[in-house]
Amino acid sequence: MSVPALDALPPLRDVLAGAGLSADKRFGQHFLLDLNVTRKIARLAGVGEGQAVIEVGPGPGGLTRALLETGARVVAVEKDPRFIPILHDLAAAAEGRLTVVEADALEVDEAALAGGPAAIVANLPYNVGTPLLVKWLTGPFTPVSMTLMFQKEVADRIAAPVGGRDYGRLGVLAQALCRAETVMDLPARAFTPPPKVASAVVRLTPLAERPPAALVETLQKVTAAAFGQRRKMLRSSLKALGGEALCQAAGIDPNARAETVPVSGFLALAQALDGGA
Ligand code: SAM
């Protein structure tokens, strides 16, 4: 039997119906079946000919198709075994540029999968979106870039400016390591089945000058304490870590509250804590 080319593949709805597949809530499945939408995400990711991409949660493969159309080489990591056969059909059409891996993305070694530098692009399952982002921010594998769909509320926290309600631990961590911007909003109705909330795509680009891993660990300790009691002044919320003396060593006002301290201020606090340890 001959293998169809990428542009001759049947519509995603037909692929799902043909395989008798429907979304399973346990895997956070909300599919993008409109190729115009997935092509836009691939464009926003800025990947192209010959570049390596890791995609998490390809499901029926709509985003995977769009990524392959750019000429990229894709390693797709999917936990739900039901989708593996249709992803293998897609791999056959992609003539060697798609590798399908059945695994939990929380467990995989990205460096081994990609065999070199790679971008990560994904419409993430909501239930594991934040732990996956933290893994890619702080783990041993630093992606070239990340273009990731989250529920809107999480996207807002990742890209939150200092001083606002959404500014917190996740935003400080992401912005200490990456430039983070929301590049696309999507209403719930764009997905099949529609989730309860809207979504957004965040693009994260690692900073050229990144704090070392040990400092990032201390940074997380400081932000956990500071935002754990976000209404309190730092002199009180950071008491166990040195309180007023720590703030003074870092050049930060001990009467400030966490949400008014910029990312650079939290890094200074972490540095002071490490220096004083
Ligand atoms: N990329 C597809 C799309 O845009 O239509 C599907 C996106 S859906 C929101 C999330 C996908 O991630 C599902 O295919 C789900 O089975 C998969 N998934 C859920 N948890 C996972 C995990 N821990 N590791 C890998 N894939 C996972």
Side-chain angles (χ1 to χ4, degrees):
M1 208 173 75
S2 72
V3 173
L6 264 185
D7 58 4
L9 288 166
L12 289 160
R13 268 180 212 286
D14 296 357
V15 172
L16 282 173
L21 289 171
S22 58
D24 183 335
K25 269 195 189 150
R26 285 173 306 157
F27 292 107
Q29 290 172 350
H30 299 282
F31 304 129
L32 289 170
L33 302 181
D34 180 347
L35 287 176
N36 293 316
V37 173
T38 57
R39 284 180 182 132
K40 184 164 177 202
I41 297 170
R43 262 200 311 280
L44 289 167
V47 296
E49 199 69 39
Q51 286 177 354
V53 176
I54 298 176
E55 186 198 354
V56 166
L63 182 54
T64 324
R65 286 191 194 188
L67 291 166
L68 290 166
E69 282 175 3
T70 71
R73 288 183 293 115
V74 180
V75 178
V77 181
E78 174 57 61
K79 189 175 173 188
D80 184 345
R82 299 177 307 150
F83 287 92
I84 302 300
I86 60 176
L87 291 166
H88 280 147
D89 292 344
L90 183 52
E95 298 177 322
R97 286 189 296 113
L98 173 61
T99 306
V100 179
V101 177
E102 183 186 338
D104 183 335
L106 285 165
E107 313 280 331
V108 298
D109 172 349
E110 291 85 357
L113 285 185
I120 296 184
V121 184
N123 171 16
L124 290 175
Y126 291 156
N127 44 353
V128 288
T130 305
L132 281 171
L133 174 62
V134 172
K135 180 188 181 201
W136 298 326
L137 287 170
T138 61
F141 178 77
T142 303
V144 174
S145 66
M146 293 177 258
T147 308
L148 307 172
M149 177 91 69
F150 293 94
Q151 54 200 107
K152 173 89 176 115
E153 174 254 327
V154 176
D156 286 347
R157 287 199 279 126
I158 295 166
V162 60
R165 200 173 40 107
D166 296 325
Y167 186 64
R169 290 172 67 179
L170 189 59
V172 173
L173 179 65
Q175 294 170 41
L177 293 159
C178 294
R179 190 158 57 82
E181 52 191 332
T182 298
V183 291
M184 181 183 184
D185 283 304
L186 264 171
R189 65 171 184 281
F191 300 84
T192 305
K196 289 200 176 71
V197 293
S199 295
V201 176
V202 180
R203 187 164 154 87
L204 296 121
T205 317
L207 300 173
E209 303 271 325
R210 287 161 64 88
L215 187 63
V216 173
E217 216 169 285
T218 311
L219 174 72
Q220 289 178 279
K221 220 187 280 176
V222 172
T223 56
F227 288 104
Q229 298 178 292
R230 61 189 293 146
R231 300 267 154 256
K232 290 198 173 164
M233 293 178 191
L234 294 176
R235 65 161 78 237
S236 154
S237 60
L238 296 184
K239 199 162 197 158
L241 302 178
E244 185 156 356
L246 177 73
C247 292
Q248 270 154 3
I252 302 292
D253 178 2
N255 296 327
R257 289 182 174 78
E259 66 189 29
T260 67
V261 177
V263 174
S264 58
F266 280 110
L267 282 168
L269 284 163
Q271 232 146 13
L273 186 57
D274 272 354

